[in-house]
Amino acid sequence: MAKSATKLSLNTSPSVSAVSAAGDERWMEEALRCAQRALEAGEVPVGAVVVCDGQVVGRGWNRNLIDRDPTAHAEIVAMREAGRILGNHRLGACELFATIEPCAMCAGAAVHARLRRLVYGANDTKAGAVYSVLQVLNHAKLNHQMQVQAGVLAGRSAEMLQDFFRNRR
């Protein structure tokens, strides 16, 4: 079960304003719609969006089975699309919204993309690489640091994943 954002204390800003929280929820809703697309395709329901200057520039949902690609996680798919749309592999002015805590691969890609900020929903106690299992983001030896906000619409994200795995048993 996902921990609450207050227990995580990963928000690097002093406080999240109501405007910022509402914006985060707006984009997380979009990520949840992407997760729904993964679910409809028979994939693990994880979704992600990349937002730059108030616009979605990348959308992704898990496509591992469809693409037969172990790297086709929602976050990677969204960052690839954002890079194509923006014409740059560096996404320094962008924010990534993901329904679940990114794994080591996705967290590493976020660092290499130089994202400004990561917002995610549910913690991933089996593979999360922001807080839960590993701390890839904002590691002292890495050359890029980003803001992190955890727990946005975490209950809905966790419920979607739990229902998916419950139905597969």
Side-chain angles (χ1 to χ4, degrees):
M1 174 123 340
K3 296 177 187 175
S4 72
T6 54
K7 288 184 182 177
L8 290 176
S9 301
L10 289 178
N11 180 17
T12 58
S13 58
S15 66
V16 178
S17 71
V19 172
S20 177
D24 288 353
E25 288 184 6
R26 172 186 175 201
W27 299 123
M28 191 60 72
E29 290 282 357
E30 187 67 29
L32 283 163
R33 283 190 281 282
C34 290
Q36 182 64 38
R37 290 188 71 173
L39 180 65
E40 291 166 2
E43 299 273 0
V44 175
V46 176
V49 294
V50 176
V51 176
C52 189
D53 296 327
Q55 300 276 330
V56 173
V57 294
R59 284 182 177 80
W61 50 91
N62 275 3
R63 299 183 50 89
N64 303 91
L65 301 173
I66 294 166
D67 293 350
R68 294 177 177 85
D69 179 355
T71 69
H73 289 195
E75 301 93 328
I76 300 293
V77 173
M79 285 187 279
R80 284 178 182 157
E81 182 176 352
R84 280 192 301 273
I85 287 173
L86 296 174
N88 197 333
H89 68 289
R90 298 285 191 227
L91 305 174
C94 299
E95 300 171 296
L96 174 64
F97 292 80
T99 58
I100 192 168
E101 179 181 4
C103 70
M105 175 183 67
C106 295
V111 169
H112 287 292
R114 307 291 194 269
L115 287 166
R116 181 174 68 80
R117 185 167 177 249
L118 166 69
V119 178
Y120 70 88
N123 289 331
D124 184 347
T125 59
K126 294 183 180 181
V130 176
Y131 173 78
S132 297
V133 178
L134 300 170
Q135 288 80 42
V136 171
L137 292 187
N138 298 332
H139 189 282
K141 292 194 176 198
L142 291 175
N143 64 346
H144 178 70
Q145 307 292 304
M146 73 184 71
Q147 295 176 15
V148 176
Q149 177 65 47
V152 176
L153 301 183
R156 289 182 48 206
S157 298
E159 182 179 6
M160 185 180 277
L161 286 161
Q162 290 165 351
D163 288 348
F164 173 79
F165 287 112
R166 190 177 309 116
N167 291 333
R168 287 185 59 129
R169 289 185 189 129

